Amino acid sequence: MRQRSLIAITAALAAGALTLTACGSRDDDGGSDSGSGNKTVVIGVDAPLTGDLSALGLGIKNSVDLAAKTANKEKTVEGVTFKVEALDDQAQPSSGQQNAVKFVADKDVVGVVGPLNSSVAESMQKVFDDAKLVEISPANTGPTLTQGTDWQNKKVRSYKSYFRTATTDAIQGPFAAQYVYNDAKKKKVYVIDDKKTYGAGLAATFTDEFKKLGGKVVGTQHIDPETKDFSAVVTQVKSSGADVVYYGGEYPQAGPLSKQIKAAGVKIPLVGGDGIYSADFIKLAGAGGKGDLATSVGAPVEELPSAKEFVANYKAAGYKEAFEAYGGYSYDSGWAIIEAVKKVVEDNDGKLPDDARAKITEAVQGVSFDGVTGKVSFDEYGDTTNKQLTVYSVEGGDWKAIKSGTYTG
């Protein structure tokens, strides 16, 4: 997570991200032959590596890279070397689907970490599932991805190859509503979203809980995520009498939206989900962003003893970008694939079987280990069993954790 202590860490990072390499020729039974009897297998990473959301995407890539580097150094899987190959989806579903096809076509790929965006995941799930190639997202929170379109009434798992280490908006939205209503004592909310899968879904679950608690929704609006001029919706917020704004979306829009609301003389906090929990939000919101709130998955990294080694190793590896909100979850996603490969290899007399992808997907369902973010395991839908969430407030130019817990419905 990006906290005050991490400012010092990121400032100390040396330039240049570590890229794992492996040389050798391909062979026929899965994986490349490194020339020393080892098999080199690939963990793919799909994330926005360029564009507005690249800060989060690069943190994902680097953290998976660190997991592979650690596994290779410790020889976690005897006879197997892990290599990371990352593809840029630019936060676009069409690009994500093309990347999924590329990963499937490369027989060395044994699993994929990503994507960041739930809308991108929707375009990738069937491609991976048809190929029995496991996909683990460290960031997707849309409930439909694991529990089906009618998840509020009947949960149905559509894709057995899809997992995630981030908890869902079915929990995050209501958790935020409880904090806003019960702790922050805000009773009138103006709800805005960007119409995308993540943003609209998060806004909807927040709204439902806020109403149940007795709060009043004094206005709703959708914004165009391609624009940075929010004057029309700011005027509506100003005349609504709202004492808080809830935004379902991501920081490239949330930051300017917050700034423009404050500039209009409306001194009320903007609240969002993990999509705005980035240092870049604070930069975009400016000085007026003080007191804005975000929820994010898990507990703060610096409060978790299990994360100290990750933070130290990330710093030592010399990545020039911060690991950001999803670093720990990305590392744990990569490590879940590594643990699954280990089990499959051990169950097959030290070799990858011909049906390695299918076996690895099956093995991921049963993984259980102590990770960076706590206990890592998955339920029957492929969702993480870790339901921890944290509320952060912008204070002193950084995000400060102010409350951690779980949603009590």
Side-chain angles (χ1 to χ4, degrees):
M1 308 297 170
R2 188 72 174 258
Q3 300 293 309
R4 186 173 288 110
S5 64
L6 295 185
I7 298 299
I9 290 174
T10 54
L13 297 181
L18 175 66
T19 302
L20 298 179
T21 58
C23 57
S25 58
R26 310 249 177 173
D27 59 18
D28 294 332
D29 58 351
S32 298
D33 189 339
S34 66
S36 59
N38 279 4
K39 295 294 182 186
T40 297
V41 299
V42 173
I43 297 176
V45 174
D46 176 88
L49 305 179
T50 59
D52 287 345
L53 295 173
S54 60
L56 297 178
L58 291 167
I60 290 171
K61 175 182 75 73
N62 294 345
S63 300
V64 178
D65 193 65
L66 180 61
K69 173 178 180 263
T70 302
N72 291 338
K73 181 180 179 181
E74 298 178 353
K75 299 189 186 311
T76 301
V77 185
E78 198 66 40
V80 173
T81 298
F82 293 94
K83 176 184 177 183
V84 170
E85 292 183 0
L87 296 178
D88 182 8
D89 64 27
Q90 300 175 315
Q92 297 297 320
S94 58
S95 296
Q97 188 172 64
Q98 291 169 10
N99 291 347
V101 171
K102 290 177 183 176
F103 283 132
V104 167
D106 183 349
K107 64 183 178 59
D108 287 356
V109 177
V110 295
V112 176
V113 175
L116 169 69
N117 305 86
S118 293
S119 56
V120 176
E122 289 177 331
S123 74
M124 304 175 82
Q125 284 181 301
K126 189 177 188 302
V127 177
F128 286 135
D129 202 63
D130 287 348
K132 296 182 171 59
L133 180 61
V134 71
E135 170 191 15
I136 308 179
S137 173
N140 294 162
T141 54
T144 60
L145 294 169
T146 48
Q147 301 170 17
T149 54
D150 194 29
W151 62 271
Q152 290 171 306
N153 298 308
K154 184 180 180 181
K155 296 179 181 179
V156 177
R157 186 175 186 179
S158 302
Y159 301 105
K160 291 185 177 180
S161 69
Y162 178 86
F163 300 82
R164 55 178 150 201
T165 52
T167 196
T168 75
D169 295 333
I171 298 172
Q172 184 176 191
F175 180 77
Q178 289 186 351
Y179 181 85
V180 170
Y181 187 86
N182 295 326
D183 296 78
K185 307 298 183 183
K186 305 297 183 182
K187 310 301 180 184
K188 296 185 291 182
V189 65
Y190 197 103
V191 180
I192 305 168
D193 70 67
D194 62 3
K195 298 183 285 187
K196 295 195 288 187
T197 302
Y198 164 74
L202 188 59
T205 58
F206 172 90
T207 299
D208 288 346
E209 182 70 12
F210 194 76
K211 286 180 178 178
K212 287 178 186 176
L213 293 168
K216 183 178 180 181
V217 177
V218 296
T220 61
Q221 191 55 267
H222 308 290
I223 59 102
D224 178 0
E226 298 302 317
T227 186
K228 295 294 190 294
D229 179 6
F230 304 113
S231 54
V233 70
V234 167
T235 299
Q236 294 172 21
V237 170
K238 187 172 184 178
S239 63
S240 71
D243 54 14
V244 64
V245 169
Y246 188 83
Y247 177 68
E250 295 149 334
Y251 66 81
Q253 295 75 38
L257 176 61
S258 173
K259 186 173 186 177
Q260 290 172 42
I261 289 172
K262 310 303 194 295
V266 187
K267 307 302 183 183
I268 60 177
L270 180 142
V271 184
D274 53 323
I276 79 167
Y277 178 58
S278 169
D280 284 13
F281 169 84
I282 298 173
K283 295 175 186 175
L284 293 167
K290 181 181 178 181
D292 285 347
L293 303 168
T295 53
S296 192
V297 295
V301 162
E302 53 268 47
E303 293 182 10
L304 293 171
S306 57
K308 289 181 180 179
E309 186 177 3
F310 166 73
V311 173
N313 289 345
Y314 193 96
K315 178 182 178 182
Y319 300 108
K320 64 180 179 180
E321 303 93 5
F323 53 77
E324 285 280 354
Y326 305 108
Y329 296 91
S330 302
Y331 186 99
D332 285 346
S333 295
W335 202 261
I337 294 172
I338 291 164
E339 286 287 334
V341 171
K342 180 180 179 180
K343 184 180 189 315
V344 169
V345 168
E346 289 177 348
D347 288 350
N348 193 52
D349 298 324
K351 292 183 178 181
L352 280 171
D354 292 337
D355 58 345
R357 286 180 173 177
K359 288 286 200 304
I360 290 166
T361 297
E362 292 174 12
V364 167
Q365 184 66 61
V367 299
S368 180
F369 61 93
D370 293 322
V372 171
T373 59
K375 192 73 174 180
V376 178
S377 59
F378 304 100
D379 66 15
E380 66 269 34
Y381 301 103
D383 284 324
T384 177
T385 56
N386 182 354
K387 310 297 184 184
Q388 187 85 357
L389 288 157
T390 300
V391 179
Y392 297 89
S393 176
V394 177
E395 297 182 17
D398 201 3
W399 289 108
K400 180 181 178 181
I402 55 176
K403 183 174 184 178
S404 291
T406 57
Y407 165 61
T408 53

